[in-house]
Amino acid sequence: MYKYTLHFKRPAGTSRGVLTSKDTYFLVIERDGKRGIGECNLFRGLSADDVPDYEATLQWVQAHIHLGEEALLAQLTAFPSIQFGVEQAFRSVAAAQWYELFPSDFTAGKDAIAINGLIWMGTPDYMKTQIREKLAQGFRCIKMKIGAIAFEEEYRILKALRKEFSAEEVEIRVDANGAFTPAEAPEVLARLAELQLHSIEQPIKAGQWEAMAQLCRTSPLPIALDEELIGVFDFAQKKRLISQIQPQYIILKPSLIGGYKGSEEWIALAEAHQIGWWVTSALESNIGLNAIAQWTYTLHSTMPQGLGTGALYTNNLPFPLSVEGGQLRFNPSEPVAFPFS
């Protein structure tokens, strides 16, 4: 087990504060002379498994790796990020190349994944600068985090962007991270809907199922659930949540909802209720981002995904992932060294 601290190139503003660094963990396993790796991406303040015994649990997994993947996953229900690391590590050690978890046209360099350009919270000038940069880089789907500065200022930024680019030219998503109260949300949603936005993620804090369900029924702007899915481990509870709230979309962050298996349960429930979805990374290093991207490609979604966070860090682990023209690409011709000896 390896602990690694990632450092942001610029402070990353969210509704939960400003991040300058982030710890992550890597699970390495060996079998038949081969090594596999999985990233256990603990997101402090957000992960359901942000608990004091997190590292002790990782050490237990490392000591009991002989139990096998299924047995370990069954013991790790309350640790979704470790579940995801276990899934990655076992798939990695079984792969022809440790980094090619899901061979496809994506890993062959023949196809790419459309992604959104993420705009971090900050001063109005900083947010405007980010938007100009993303548009210049070829992004045609922008995701802007809102809720940290005055809403009126955020609204002016969005209105100016929409005035310059139509909904057909640039898709705009916003992510509130639960910034608004149930009383405030209807007016906020009505005003944002006038700007022909694609959707809003988590307008109110998670756990208010009745209030969220009411918003999803009446909002003129489609609502996507994000934090709402975190910490919901039981399949029956997942089913109740989807059935009761009936959102327009759900956001899948494998590190926060139990990896591939947990995400696929949510997808099955969403599709059974005609609810849309897309996949988003959650500040992983390139190891985790690669694992999410390769799996996402196999799902054949045509929507832009939220997989563009690999360039945030000064010391990310080297990997042949790049963002070009609003798409995430894998370059198979670049050598990939195993990151830990």
Side-chain angles (χ1 to χ4, degrees):
M1 186 266 286
Y2 297 85
K3 183 178 181 179
Y4 191 78
T5 301
L6 294 156
H7 298 285
F8 287 86
K9 292 177 180 176
R10 296 177 179 175
T14 75
S15 61
R16 285 176 291 274
V18 177
L19 303 174
T20 57
S21 65
K22 180 189 173 299
D23 292 333
T24 194
Y25 299 82
F26 296 97
L27 181 67
V28 174
I29 63 177
E30 296 186 14
R31 189 171 65 194
D32 301 327
K34 297 174 61 181
R35 288 182 297 173
I37 188 170
E39 181 169 1
C40 302
N41 175 47
L42 175 64
F43 197 137
R44 297 207 178 274
L46 181 59
S47 296
D49 48 14
D50 180 11
V51 293
D53 62 343
Y54 186 88
E55 289 191 15
T57 302
L58 266 176
Q59 290 165 355
W60 178 88
V61 170
Q62 192 80 66
H64 293 80
I65 208 75
H66 61 276
L67 296 176
E69 181 177 359
E70 291 306 314
L72 289 171
L73 292 178
Q75 294 292 320
L76 294 167
T77 303
F79 293 86
S81 66
I82 300 180
Q83 284 185 317
F84 189 33
V86 167
E87 286 181 320
Q88 293 171 54
F90 274 93
R91 183 169 283 272
S92 172
V93 79
Q97 303 286 345
W98 66 268
Y99 53 83
E100 193 172 15
L101 308 188
F102 295 86
S104 67
D105 282 350
F106 175 72
T107 59
K110 298 177 181 178
D111 202 0
I113 301 171
I115 62 174
N116 60 239
L118 181 59
I119 309 302
W120 289 93
M121 293 174 175
T123 65
D125 285 345
Y126 175 52
M127 296 173 79
K128 291 173 187 175
T129 296
Q130 291 179 81
I131 290 171
R132 286 193 293 269
E133 289 174 352
K134 295 300 181 186
L135 294 175
Q137 291 165 5
F139 285 94
R140 289 299 172 260
C141 177
I142 297 294
K143 173 181 168 180
M144 181 170 141
K145 287 185 173 289
I146 62 173
I149 62 176
F151 175 72
E152 291 302 326
E153 188 61 53
E154 293 169 335
Y155 183 82
R156 280 194 287 272
I157 294 171
L158 289 164
K159 187 174 182 180
L161 177 60
R162 180 53 78 222
K163 185 176 180 180
E164 187 172 354
F165 299 97
S166 70
E168 289 70 33
E169 292 173 303
V170 176
E171 179 179 292
I172 305 174
R173 302 170 178 174
V174 293
D175 182 2
N177 289 128
F180 304 107
T181 67
E184 295 169 334
E187 181 181 354
V188 168
L189 294 172
R191 293 185 65 192
L192 291 175
E194 295 172 359
L195 303 180
Q196 294 181 283
L197 306 188
H198 173 270
S199 57
I200 181 170
E201 293 181 33
Q202 206 69 43
I204 63 174
K205 291 186 183 301
Q208 306 175 86
W209 288 17
E210 187 174 332
M212 186 68 87
Q214 174 67 12
L215 287 175
C216 290
R217 283 194 297 270
T218 60
S219 173
L221 177 64
I223 292 174
L225 303 186
D226 180 359
E227 288 92 339
E228 205 74 62
L229 311 187
I230 298 171
V232 182
F233 305 130
D234 180 69
F235 184 77
Q237 190 180 10
K238 293 178 181 180
K239 192 172 182 180
R240 287 195 299 273
L241 184 151
I242 290 293
S243 179
Q244 180 174 335
I245 298 180
Q246 290 282 333
Q248 284 72 40
Y249 298 100
I250 61 171
I251 312 300
L252 305 163
K253 293 178 176 174
S255 291
L256 299 177
I257 59 174
Y260 301 131
K261 183 178 180 181
S263 299
E264 287 164 3
E265 286 183 348
W266 283 113
I267 289 173
L269 288 170
E271 292 185 343
H273 288 80
Q274 289 78 55
I275 292 167
W277 54 267
W278 66 88
V279 180
T280 299
S281 52
L283 303 182
E284 292 85 358
S285 76
N286 278 332
I287 299 291
L289 178 60
N290 173 66
I292 296 171
Q294 290 189 23
W295 168 73
T296 299
Y297 182 80
T298 69
L299 302 177
H300 306 296
S301 172
T302 58
M303 296 183 68
Q305 309 295 307
L307 303 176
T309 55
L312 290 174
Y313 303 114
T314 60
N315 62 332
N316 208 338
L317 298 170
F319 221 81
L321 292 170
S322 62
V323 177
E324 304 168 19
Q327 294 183 314
L328 181 67
R329 293 188 173 276
F330 185 97
N331 184 354
S333 65
E334 290 185 27
V336 189
F338 197 85
F340 301 103
S341 58

